[in-house]
Amino acid sequence: MLRITCPWCGERDYSEFRYGSDASKARPAHGTGDLKAWHDHVFLFDNPKGPHREYWQHVLGCRQWLVLERDTATNTPGAARSAREAAAKGGAGR
Ligand SMILES: [Zn+2]
């Protein structure tokens, strides 16, 4: 069973959360007219095996977005942190 530790609410069952997207991808610059860059960002995803950063939302709790590090091979969750704080520091990859 996957248990996720929300930074605000504590450890909860994964069913309280909703997967958002891949947090390791960099979004194209705002206002860019490069349609291929937007297409690739929205529709193309890697299928990594091992540790991976993902956006999740605690929909049945505080409704906050978080960045969760999850091992995709073992489905083991790692640390979760605020997506807002990650964005303020320059992105979820940092
Ligand atoms: Zn929460």
Side-chain angles (χ1 to χ4, degrees):
M1 177 186 303
L2 181 63
R3 304 278 292 177
I4 297 173
T5 303
C6 174
W8 300 276
C9 305
E11 186 177 302
R12 298 288 194 272
D13 189 76
Y14 83 97
S15 61
E16 291 190 13
F17 296 81
R18 177 180 64 181
Y19 175 81
S21 65
D22 182 347
S24 65
K25 295 173 64 173
R27 186 179 178 158
H30 184 72
T32 183
D34 184 352
L35 296 182
K36 181 173 182 338
W38 279 107
H39 174 273
D40 291 354
H41 179 73
V42 173
F43 295 110
L44 300 182
F45 296 92
D46 293 331
N47 189 17
K49 181 178 181 181
H52 191 244
R53 286 183 308 275
E54 302 168 331
Y55 288 114
W56 287 74
Q57 184 185 21
H58 194 183
V59 292
L60 297 183
C62 61
R63 303 196 56 81
Q64 294 294 310
W65 283 92
L66 49 108
V67 176
L68 175 70
E69 295 188 13
R70 182 176 67 92
D71 189 315
T72 60
T74 62
N75 202 27
T76 304
R81 59 194 172 120
S82 164
R84 182 176 297 186
E85 290 177 9
K89 292 179 180 174
R94 297 178 183 153

Coordinates of all heavy atoms in Angstrom, one line a residue:
M1 N 0.9 -1.2 0.0 CA 0.0 0.0 0.0 C 0.9 1.2 0.0 O 1.8 1.3 0.8 CB -0.9 0.0 1.2 CG -1.8 1.2 1.3 SD -2.7 1.3 2.8 CE -3.6 -0.2 2.8
L2 N 0.6 2.2 -0.9 CA 1.3 3.4 -1.0 C 0.8 4.4 0.1 O -0.4 4.7 0.1 CB 1.2 3.9 -2.4 CG 2.0 5.2 -2.7 CD1 3.5 5.0 -2.6 CD2 1.6 5.7 -4.1
R3 N 1.7 4.9 0.9 CA 1.4 5.9 1.9 C 2.2 7.1 1.6 O 3.5 7.0 1.4 CB 1.7 5.4 3.3 CG 1.0 4.1 3.7 CD -0.4 4.3 4.2 NE -0.5 5.1 5.4 CZ -1.6 5.4 6.0 NH1 -2.7 5.1 5.5 NH2 -1.6 6.1 7.1
I4 N 1.6 8.3 1.5 CA 2.3 9.5 1.2 C 2.3 10.4 2.4 O 1.2 10.6 3.0 CB 1.6 10.2 -0.1 CG1 1.8 9.3 -1.3 CG2 2.2 11.6 -0.3 CD1 1.0 9.8 -2.5
T5 N 3.4 11.0 2.7 CA 3.5 11.9 3.8 C 3.3 13.4 3.3 O 4.2 13.9 2.7 CB 4.8 11.8 4.6 OG1 4.9 10.4 5.0 CG2 4.8 12.7 5.8
C6 N 2.1 13.9 3.5 CA 1.9 15.3 3.1 C 2.6 16.2 4.1 O 2.6 16.0 5.3 CB 0.4 15.6 3.2 SG -0.1 17.3 2.9
P7 N 3.3 17.2 3.6 CA 4.1 18.1 4.5 C 3.2 18.9 5.5 O 3.6 19.3 6.5 CB 4.7 19.2 3.5 CG 4.7 18.5 2.2 CD 3.5 17.6 2.2
W8 N 1.9 19.0 5.2 CA 1.0 19.7 6.1 C 0.1 18.8 7.0 O -0.2 19.1 8.1 CB 0.0 20.6 5.3 CG 0.8 21.6 4.5 CD1 1.3 22.8 5.0 CD2 1.3 21.5 3.2 NE1 2.0 23.4 4.0 CE2 2.0 22.7 2.9 CE3 1.1 20.5 2.2 CZ2 2.6 22.9 1.7 CZ3 1.7 20.7 1.0 CH2 2.4 21.9 0.7
C9 N -0.3 17.6 6.4 CA -1.3 16.7 7.1 C -0.7 15.5 7.7 O -1.3 14.8 8.5 CB -2.4 16.3 6.1 SG -3.2 17.7 5.3
G10 N 0.5 15.1 7.3 CA 1.2 13.9 7.8 C 0.9 12.7 6.8 O 0.5 12.9 5.7
E11 N 1.2 11.5 7.3 CA 1.1 10.3 6.5 C -0.4 10.0 6.2 O -1.2 9.9 7.1 CB 1.8 9.2 7.1 CG 1.8 7.9 6.3 CD 2.6 6.8 6.9 OE1 3.8 7.0 7.3 OE2 2.0 5.7 7.1
R12 N -0.7 9.8 4.9 CA -2.0 9.4 4.5 C -2.0 8.4 3.4 O -1.0 8.2 2.7 CB -2.8 10.7 3.9 CG -2.9 11.8 4.9 CD -4.0 11.5 5.9 NE -4.4 12.6 6.6 CZ -3.8 13.1 7.8 NH1 -2.8 12.4 8.2 NH2 -4.3 14.1 8.4
D13 N -3.1 7.7 3.2 CA -3.2 6.7 2.1 C -3.2 7.4 0.7 O -3.7 8.5 0.6 CB -4.5 5.9 2.2 CG -4.6 4.8 1.2 OD1 -3.9 3.8 1.5 OD2 -5.3 4.9 0.2
Y14 N -2.6 6.8 -0.3 CA -2.4 7.4 -1.6 C -3.8 7.8 -2.2 O -3.9 8.7 -3.0 CB -1.6 6.5 -2.5 CG -2.5 5.5 -3.2 CD1 -3.0 5.7 -4.5 CD2 -2.8 4.3 -2.5 CE1 -3.7 4.7 -5.1 CE2 -3.5 3.3 -3.1 CZ -4.0 3.5 -4.4 OH -4.8 2.6 -5.0
S15 N -4.9 7.1 -1.8 CA -6.2 7.3 -2.4 C -6.7 8.7 -2.1 O -7.7 9.2 -2.7 CB -7.2 6.3 -1.9 OG -7.3 6.3 -0.5
E16 N -6.1 9.4 -1.1 CA -6.5 10.8 -0.8 C -5.8 11.8 -1.8 O -6.1 13.0 -1.8 CB -6.0 11.2 0.6 CG -6.8 10.5 1.7 CD -6.5 11.1 3.1 OE1 -5.9 12.2 3.2 OE2 -6.9 10.4 4.1
F17 N -4.9 11.3 -2.6 CA -4.1 12.1 -3.5 C -4.5 11.9 -5.0 O -5.0 10.8 -5.3 CB -2.6 11.9 -3.3 CG -2.1 12.2 -1.9 CD1 -2.3 11.3 -0.9 CD2 -1.5 13.4 -1.7 CE1 -1.8 11.6 0.4 CE2 -1.0 13.7 -0.4 CZ -1.2 12.8 0.6
R18 N -4.2 12.8 -5.8 CA -4.3 12.7 -7.2 C -3.0 13.0 -7.9 O -2.4 14.0 -7.6 CB -5.4 13.7 -7.7 CG -5.6 13.6 -9.3 CD -6.6 14.6 -9.8 NE -6.1 15.9 -9.5 CZ -6.8 17.0 -9.8 NH1 -8.0 16.9 -10.3 NH2 -6.3 18.2 -9.5
Y19 N -2.6 12.1 -8.8 CA -1.4 12.3 -9.6 C -1.6 13.5 -10.5 O -2.6 13.7 -11.1 CB -1.0 11.1 -10.4 CG 0.1 11.2 -11.3 CD1 1.4 11.1 -10.8 CD2 -0.1 11.5 -12.6 CE1 2.5 11.3 -11.6 CE2 1.0 11.7 -13.5 CZ 2.3 11.6 -13.0 OH 3.4 11.7 -13.8
G20 N -0.6 14.4 -10.6 CA -0.7 15.6 -11.4 C 0.1 15.4 -12.7 O -0.5 15.3 -13.8
S21 N 1.4 15.3 -12.6 CA 2.2 15.1 -13.8 C 3.7 14.9 -13.4 O 4.0 14.9 -12.2 CB 2.1 16.4 -14.7 OG 2.7 17.5 -14.0
D22 N 4.5 14.8 -14.4 CA 6.0 14.6 -14.2 C 6.5 16.0 -13.7 O 6.4 17.0 -14.4 CB 6.5 14.2 -15.6 CG 8.0 14.0 -15.5 OD1 8.7 14.3 -14.5 OD2 8.5 13.5 -16.5
A23 N 7.2 15.9 -12.6 CA 7.8 17.2 -12.0 C 9.2 17.4 -12.5 O 9.8 18.4 -12.1 CB 7.7 17.2 -10.5
S24 N 9.7 16.5 -13.3 CA 11.1 16.7 -13.7 C 11.3 17.4 -15.0 O 12.4 17.7 -15.4 CB 11.8 15.3 -13.8 OG 11.2 14.5 -14.9
K25 N 10.1 17.7 -15.7 CA 10.1 18.4 -16.9 C 10.1 19.9 -16.7 O 9.4 20.4 -15.9 CB 8.9 18.0 -17.8 CG 8.9 16.5 -18.2 CD 7.7 16.1 -18.9 CE 7.5 16.9 -20.2 NZ 6.3 16.4 -20.9
A26 N 10.9 20.6 -17.5 CA 10.9 22.1 -17.5 C 9.9 22.6 -18.5 O 9.8 22.2 -19.6 CB 12.3 22.6 -17.9
R27 N 9.0 23.5 -18.0 CA 8.0 24.1 -18.8 C 8.6 25.1 -19.7 O 9.5 25.9 -19.4 CB 7.0 24.8 -17.9 CG 5.8 25.3 -18.5 CD 4.9 26.0 -17.5 NE 3.7 26.5 -18.2 CZ 2.6 26.8 -17.6 NH1 2.4 26.5 -16.3 NH2 1.6 27.3 -18.3
P28 N 8.1 25.2 -21.0 CA 8.6 26.2 -21.9 C 8.3 27.6 -21.4 O 7.4 27.8 -20.6 CB 7.8 26.0 -23.2 CG 7.3 24.5 -23.1 CD 7.1 24.3 -21.6
A29 N 9.1 28.5 -21.8 CA 9.0 29.9 -21.3 C 7.6 30.5 -21.6 O 7.0 30.2 -22.7 CB 10.0 30.8 -21.9
H30 N 7.0 31.2 -20.7 CA 5.7 31.8 -20.9 C 5.7 32.7 -22.1 O 6.6 33.5 -22.3 CB 5.3 32.6 -19.7 CG 3.9 33.2 -19.7 ND1 2.8 32.4 -19.6 CD2 3.5 34.5 -19.9 CE1 1.7 33.2 -19.8 NE2 2.1 34.4 -19.9
G31 N 4.7 32.6 -23.0 CA 4.6 33.4 -24.2 C 5.4 32.9 -25.4 O 5.3 33.5 -26.4
T32 N 6.0 31.8 -25.2 CA 6.8 31.3 -26.4 C 5.8 30.8 -27.5 O 4.8 30.2 -27.2 CB 7.8 30.2 -26.0 OG1 8.5 29.8 -27.1 CG2 7.0 28.9 -25.4
G33 N 6.2 31.0 -28.7 CA 5.4 30.6 -29.8 C 5.9 29.3 -30.4 O 5.4 28.8 -31.4
D34 N 6.8 28.6 -29.7 CA 7.4 27.4 -30.2 C 6.4 26.2 -29.9 O 6.3 25.7 -28.8 CB 8.7 27.1 -29.5 CG 9.4 25.9 -30.0 OD1 8.8 25.1 -30.8 OD2 10.6 25.6 -29.6
L35 N 5.5 25.9 -30.9 CA 4.5 25.0 -30.7 C 5.0 23.6 -30.4 O 4.4 22.8 -29.7 CB 3.5 25.0 -31.8 CG 2.7 26.3 -32.0 CD1 1.7 26.2 -33.2 CD2 2.0 26.7 -30.7
K36 N 6.1 23.2 -31.1 CA 6.7 21.9 -30.8 C 7.1 21.8 -29.4 O 6.9 20.7 -28.8 CB 7.9 21.7 -31.8 CG 8.5 20.3 -31.6 CD 9.5 19.9 -32.6 CE 10.1 18.5 -32.4 NZ 10.0 17.8 -31.1
A37 N 7.7 22.8 -28.8 CA 8.1 22.7 -27.4 C 6.9 22.5 -26.5 O 7.0 21.7 -25.6 CB 8.9 24.0 -27.0
W38 N 5.8 23.2 -26.8 CA 4.6 23.0 -26.0 C 4.0 21.6 -26.2 O 3.5 21.0 -25.3 CB 3.5 24.1 -26.3 CG 3.8 25.4 -25.6 CD1 4.3 26.5 -26.1 CD2 3.7 25.6 -24.2 NE1 4.5 27.4 -25.1 CE2 4.1 26.9 -23.9 CE3 3.3 24.8 -23.1 CZ2 4.1 27.4 -22.6 CZ3 3.3 25.3 -21.8 CH2 3.7 26.6 -21.6
H39 N 4.0 21.2 -27.5 CA 3.5 19.8 -27.7 C 4.3 18.8 -27.0 O 3.7 17.9 -26.3 CB 3.6 19.5 -29.2 CG 3.2 18.1 -29.6 ND1 4.2 17.1 -29.6 CD2 2.1 17.5 -29.9 CE1 3.6 16.0 -29.9 NE2 2.3 16.2 -30.1
D40 N 5.6 18.9 -27.0 CA 6.4 17.9 -26.3 C 6.2 18.0 -24.8 O 6.2 17.0 -24.1 CB 7.9 18.2 -26.6 CG 8.2 17.9 -28.1 OD1 7.4 17.3 -28.8 OD2 9.4 18.2 -28.5
H41 N 6.1 19.2 -24.3 CA 5.8 19.4 -22.8 C 4.5 18.8 -22.4 O 4.4 18.1 -21.3 CB 5.9 20.9 -22.5 CG 5.7 21.1 -21.0 ND1 6.6 20.8 -20.1 CD2 4.6 21.6 -20.3 CE1 6.1 21.1 -18.9 NE2 4.9 21.5 -19.0
V42 N 3.5 18.9 -23.2 CA 2.1 18.5 -22.8 C 1.9 17.0 -23.0 O 1.3 16.3 -22.2 CB 1.1 19.4 -23.5 CG1 -0.3 18.8 -23.2 CG2 1.2 20.8 -23.0
F43 N 2.4 16.5 -24.2 CA 2.0 15.2 -24.6 C 3.1 14.1 -24.5 O 2.8 12.9 -24.6 CB 1.5 15.2 -26.0 CG 0.2 16.1 -26.2 CD1 0.3 17.3 -26.8 CD2 -1.0 15.6 -25.6 CE1 -0.9 18.0 -26.9 CE2 -2.1 16.4 -25.7 CZ -2.1 17.6 -26.4
L44 N 4.4 14.5 -24.4 CA 5.4 13.5 -24.4 C 6.0 13.3 -23.0 O 6.4 14.2 -22.4 CB 6.5 13.8 -25.4 CG 6.1 14.0 -26.9 CD1 7.3 14.3 -27.7 CD2 5.4 12.8 -27.4
F45 N 6.0 12.0 -22.6 CA 6.6 11.7 -21.3 C 7.5 10.6 -21.3 O 7.3 9.6 -22.1 CB 5.4 11.4 -20.3 CG 4.4 12.5 -20.1 CD1 3.3 12.6 -20.9 CD2 4.7 13.4 -19.1 CE1 2.4 13.7 -20.7 CE2 3.8 14.5 -18.9 CZ 2.7 14.6 -19.7
D46 N 8.5 10.6 -20.5 CA 9.4 9.5 -20.3 C 8.7 8.4 -19.4 O 7.8 8.7 -18.8 CB 10.7 9.9 -19.7 CG 11.5 10.9 -20.6 OD1 11.4 10.7 -21.8 OD2 12.2 11.7 -20.0
N47 N 9.2 7.3 -19.5 CA 8.7 6.2 -18.6 C 9.9 5.7 -17.7 O 10.4 4.6 -18.0 CB 8.1 5.1 -19.4 CG 7.4 4.1 -18.6 OD1 7.1 4.3 -17.4 ND2 7.2 2.9 -19.1
P48 N 10.4 6.5 -16.8 CA 11.6 6.2 -16.1 C 11.4 5.0 -15.1 O 10.3 4.7 -14.6 CB 11.9 7.4 -15.3 CG 10.5 8.0 -15.0 CD 9.7 7.7 -16.3
K49 N 12.5 4.3 -14.9 CA 12.5 3.2 -13.9 C 13.4 3.6 -12.8 O 14.6 3.9 -13.0 CB 13.0 1.9 -14.5 CG 13.0 0.7 -13.5 CD 13.5 -0.5 -14.2 CE 13.4 -1.7 -13.3 NZ 13.9 -2.9 -13.9
G50 N 12.9 3.8 -11.6 CA 13.7 4.2 -10.4 C 13.2 5.5 -9.8 O 12.0 5.8 -10.0
P51 N 14.0 6.2 -9.1 CA 13.5 7.5 -8.5 C 13.1 8.5 -9.5 O 13.7 8.7 -10.5 CB 14.8 8.0 -7.7 CG 15.7 6.8 -7.6 CD 15.4 5.9 -8.8
H52 N 11.9 9.1 -9.2 CA 11.3 10.0 -10.1 C 10.5 11.1 -9.3 O 9.9 10.8 -8.3 CB 10.4 9.3 -11.0 CG 9.9 10.1 -12.2 ND1 8.6 10.4 -12.4 CD2 10.6 10.7 -13.2 CE1 8.5 11.1 -13.5 NE2 9.7 11.3 -14.0
R53 N 10.6 12.3 -9.8 CA 9.8 13.4 -9.1 C 8.5 13.6 -9.8 O 8.4 13.7 -11.0 CB 10.6 14.7 -9.2 CG 11.8 14.8 -8.2 CD 12.5 16.1 -8.2 NE 12.8 16.5 -9.6 CZ 14.0 16.1 -10.2 NH1 14.8 15.4 -9.6 NH2 14.2 16.5 -11.4
E54 N 7.4 13.7 -9.0 CA 6.1 13.8 -9.6 C 5.3 14.9 -8.8 O 5.5 15.1 -7.6 CB 5.3 12.5 -9.5 CG 6.0 11.4 -10.2 CD 5.5 10.0 -9.8 OE1 5.0 9.8 -8.7 OE2 5.6 9.1 -10.6
Y55 N 4.3 15.5 -9.5 CA 3.4 16.4 -8.8 C 2.2 15.6 -8.4 O 1.6 14.8 -9.1 CB 2.9 17.5 -9.8 CG 3.9 18.6 -10.1 CD1 4.4 18.7 -11.4 CD2 4.4 19.4 -9.1 CE1 5.3 19.7 -11.7 CE2 5.3 20.4 -9.4 CZ 5.8 20.5 -10.7 OH 6.7 21.5 -11.0
W56 N 1.8 15.8 -7.1 CA 0.6 15.2 -6.6 C -0.2 16.2 -5.8 O 0.4 17.2 -5.3 CB 0.9 14.0 -5.6 CG 1.5 12.8 -6.2 CD1 2.7 12.6 -6.7 CD2 0.8 11.5 -6.4 NE1 2.9 11.3 -7.2 CE2 1.7 10.6 -7.0 CE3 -0.4 11.1 -6.0 CZ2 1.4 9.3 -7.3 CZ3 -0.8 9.8 -6.3 CH2 0.1 8.9 -6.9
Q57 N -1.5 16.1 -5.8 CA -2.4 17.0 -5.1 C -3.1 16.2 -4.0 O -3.7 15.2 -4.2 CB -3.4 17.7 -6.0 CG -4.2 18.8 -5.2 CD -5.3 19.4 -6.0 OE1 -5.7 18.8 -7.0 NE2 -5.7 20.6 -5.6
H58 N -3.1 16.8 -2.8 CA -3.8 16.2 -1.7 C -5.3 16.6 -1.7 O -5.8 17.4 -1.0 CB -3.2 16.6 -0.3 CG -3.7 15.7 0.8 ND1 -3.3 15.9 2.1 CD2 -4.5 14.6 0.8 CE1 -3.8 15.0 2.9 NE2 -4.6 14.2 2.1
V59 N -6.0 16.0 -2.7 CA -7.4 16.4 -3.0 C -8.4 16.2 -1.8 O -9.4 16.9 -1.7 CB -7.9 15.8 -4.3 CG1 -7.2 16.3 -5.5 CG2 -7.9 14.3 -4.2
L60 N -8.2 15.1 -1.0 CA -9.1 14.8 0.1 C -8.6 15.3 1.4 O -9.1 14.9 2.5 CB -9.4 13.3 0.1 CG -10.1 12.7 -1.1 CD1 -10.5 11.3 -0.8 CD2 -11.4 13.5 -1.4
G61 N -7.6 16.2 1.3 CA -7.0 16.8 2.5 C -6.9 18.3 2.4 O -7.9 19.0 2.2
C62 N -5.7 18.8 2.4 CA -5.5 20.2 2.4 C -5.5 20.8 1.0 O -5.5 22.0 0.9 CB -4.1 20.5 3.0 SG -2.7 19.7 2.2
R63 N -5.6 20.0 0.0 CA -5.7 20.4 -1.4 C -4.5 21.1 -1.9 O -4.5 21.7 -3.0 CB -7.0 21.3 -1.7 CG -8.3 20.6 -1.3 CD -9.5 21.3 -1.8 NE -9.5 21.4 -3.3 CZ -9.8 20.4 -4.1 NH1 -10.2 19.3 -3.7 NH2 -9.9 20.7 -5.4
Q64 N -3.4 21.0 -1.2 CA -2.1 21.5 -1.6 C -1.4 20.6 -2.6 O -1.6 19.4 -2.6 CB -1.2 21.8 -0.4 CG -1.7 22.8 0.5 CD -1.7 24.2 -0.1 OE1 -0.7 24.6 -0.6 NE2 -2.8 24.8 0.1
W65 N -0.6 21.2 -3.5 CA 0.2 20.5 -4.5 C 1.5 20.2 -3.8 O 2.1 21.1 -3.1 CB 0.4 21.3 -5.8 CG -0.8 21.2 -6.6 CD1 -1.9 22.1 -6.7 CD2 -1.2 20.2 -7.6 NE1 -2.8 21.7 -7.6 CE2 -2.4 20.5 -8.2 CE3 -0.5 19.0 -8.0 CZ2 -3.0 19.8 -9.2 CZ3 -1.1 18.3 -9.0 CH2 -2.3 18.7 -9.6
L66 N 2.1 19.0 -4.1 CA 3.4 18.7 -3.6 C 4.2 18.0 -4.6 O 3.7 17.5 -5.6 CB 3.2 17.8 -2.3 CG 2.3 16.6 -2.4 CD1 3.1 15.4 -2.4 CD2 1.4 16.6 -1.2
V67 N 5.5 18.0 -4.4 CA 6.4 17.3 -5.2 C 6.8 16.0 -4.5 O 7.4 16.2 -3.4 CB 7.7 18.1 -5.6 CG1 8.7 17.3 -6.4 CG2 7.2 19.4 -6.4
L68 N 6.5 14.9 -5.0 CA 6.8 13.6 -4.3 C 7.9 12.9 -5.1 O 7.8 12.8 -6.4 CB 5.6 12.8 -4.3 CG 5.7 11.3 -3.7 CD1 6.0 11.4 -2.3 CD2 4.5 10.5 -4.1
E69 N 8.9 12.4 -4.4 CA 9.9 11.6 -5.0 C 9.4 10.1 -4.8 O 9.2 9.7 -3.7 CB 11.3 11.8 -4.4 CG 11.7 13.2 -4.7 CD 13.2 13.5 -4.3 OE1 13.9 12.5 -4.0 OE2 13.6 14.6 -4.2
R70 N 9.2 9.4 -5.9 CA 8.7 8.0 -5.8 C 9.6 7.1 -6.7 O 9.9 7.5 -7.8 CB 7.3 8.0 -6.3 CG 6.6 6.6 -6.2 CD 5.2 6.7 -6.6 NE 5.0 7.0 -8.0 CZ 4.9 6.1 -9.0 NH1 4.9 4.9 -8.8 NH2 4.7 6.5 -10.3
D71 N 9.9 6.0 -6.2 CA 10.6 5.0 -7.0 C 9.6 4.2 -7.8 O 8.8 3.5 -7.3 CB 11.4 4.0 -6.1 CG 12.4 3.1 -6.8 OD1 11.9 2.6 -7.9 OD2 13.5 3.0 -6.4
T72 N 9.7 4.4 -9.1 CA 8.7 3.8 -10.0 C 8.9 2.3 -10.1 O 7.9 1.6 -10.5 CB 8.7 4.4 -11.4 OG1 10.0 4.2 -11.9 CG2 8.4 5.9 -11.3
A73 N 10.0 1.8 -9.8 CA 10.3 0.3 -9.9 C 9.6 -0.4 -8.7 O 9.1 -1.5 -8.8 CB 11.7 0.0 -10.0
T74 N 9.7 0.2 -7.5 CA 9.2 -0.4 -6.3 C 7.9 0.2 -5.8 O 7.3 -0.3 -4.8 CB 10.2 -0.4 -5.2 OG1 10.5 1.0 -4.9 CG2 11.5 -1.1 -5.6
N75 N 7.5 1.3 -6.4 CA 6.3 2.1 -5.9 C 6.5 2.6 -4.5 O 5.6 2.7 -3.7 CB 5.0 1.3 -6.1 CG 3.9 2.3 -6.1 OD1 4.0 3.4 -6.5 ND2 2.7 1.8 -5.7
T76 N 7.8 2.9 -4.1 CA 8.1 3.4 -2.8 C 8.2 4.9 -2.8 O 9.0 5.5 -3.5 CB 9.5 2.8 -2.3 OG1 9.4 1.4 -2.4 CG2 9.8 3.2 -0.9
P77 N 7.3 5.5 -1.9 CA 7.4 7.0 -1.9 C 8.6 7.5 -1.1 O 8.9 6.8 -0.1 CB 6.1 7.4 -1.2 CG 5.7 6.2 -0.4 CD 6.3 5.0 -1.1
G78 N 9.1 8.6 -1.4 CA 10.2 9.2 -0.7 C 9.7 10.5 -0.1 O 8.5 10.6 0.3
A79 N 10.5 11.5 0.0 CA 10.2 12.7 0.6 C 9.2 13.5 -0.3 O 9.2 13.4 -1.5 CB 11.5 13.6 0.7
A80 N 8.3 14.2 0.4 CA 7.4 15.1 -0.3 C 7.6 16.5 0.2 O 7.9 16.7 1.4 CB 5.9 14.7 0.0
R81 N 7.5 17.5 -0.7 CA 7.7 18.9 -0.3 C 6.7 19.7 -1.0 O 6.1 19.3 -2.0 CB 9.1 19.3 -0.5 CG 9.5 19.2 -2.0 CD 11.0 19.4 -2.1 NE 11.4 19.1 -3.5 CZ 12.0 19.9 -4.3 NH1 12.3 21.1 -3.8 NH2 12.4 19.6 -5.5
S82 N 6.5 20.9 -0.6 CA 5.6 21.9 -1.2 C 6.0 22.2 -2.6 O 7.1 22.6 -2.9 CB 5.6 23.2 -0.4 OG 5.0 24.2 -1.1
A83 N 5.1 22.1 -3.5 CA 5.3 22.4 -4.9 C 5.5 23.9 -5.1 O 6.3 24.4 -5.9 CB 4.2 22.0 -5.8
R84 N 4.8 24.7 -4.2 CA 5.0 26.1 -4.3 C 6.4 26.6 -3.9 O 7.0 27.4 -4.5 CB 3.9 26.8 -3.3 CG 4.0 28.3 -3.4 CD 2.9 28.9 -2.5 NE 1.6 28.5 -3.1 CZ 0.5 29.0 -2.6 NH1 0.4 29.8 -1.6 NH2 -0.7 28.6 -3.2
E85 N 6.9 26.0 -2.8 CA 8.3 26.3 -2.4 C 9.3 25.8 -3.4 O 10.3 26.5 -3.7 CB 8.5 25.6 -1.0 CG 7.8 26.3 0.1 CD 8.0 25.6 1.4 OE1 8.9 24.7 1.5 OE2 7.3 25.9 2.4
A86 N 9.0 24.7 -4.0 CA 9.9 24.2 -5.1 C 10.0 25.2 -6.3 O 11.0 25.5 -6.8 CB 9.5 22.8 -5.5
A87 N 8.8 25.7 -6.6 CA 8.7 26.6 -7.8 C 9.4 27.9 -7.4 O 10.1 28.5 -8.3 CB 7.3 26.9 -8.1
A88 N 9.3 28.4 -6.1 CA 10.0 29.6 -5.7 C 11.5 29.5 -5.8 O 12.2 30.5 -6.0 CB 9.5 30.0 -4.3
K89 N 12.0 28.3 -5.6 CA 13.4 28.0 -5.7 C 13.9 27.8 -7.1 O 15.0 27.4 -7.3 CB 13.8 26.9 -4.8 CG 13.6 27.2 -3.3 CD 13.9 26.0 -2.4 CE 13.7 26.3 -1.0 NZ 13.9 25.2 -0.1
G90 N 13.0 27.8 -8.1 CA 13.4 27.7 -9.5 C 12.9 26.5 -10.2 O 13.3 26.2 -11.3
G91 N 12.1 25.7 -9.5 CA 11.6 24.5 -10.2 C 11.6 23.3 -9.3 O 12.3 23.2 -8.2
A92 N 10.8 22.3 -9.7 CA 10.7 21.0 -8.9 C 12.0 20.2 -8.9 O 12.2 19.3 -8.1 CB 9.5 20.2 -9.3
G93 N 12.8 20.5 -9.9 CA 14.0 19.7 -10.0 C 15.1 20.1 -9.0 O 16.2 19.5 -9.0
R94 N 14.8 21.1 -8.2 CA 15.9 21.6 -7.3 C 15.5 21.3 -5.9 O 14.4 21.1 -5.5 CB 16.1 23.1 -7.5 CG 16.7 23.3 -8.9 CD 16.9 24.7 -9.2 NE 17.3 24.8 -10.6 CZ 17.1 25.8 -11.4 NH1 16.6 26.9 -11.0 NH2 17.5 25.8 -12.6
Ligands
ZN1 ZN -2.3 17.6 3.0

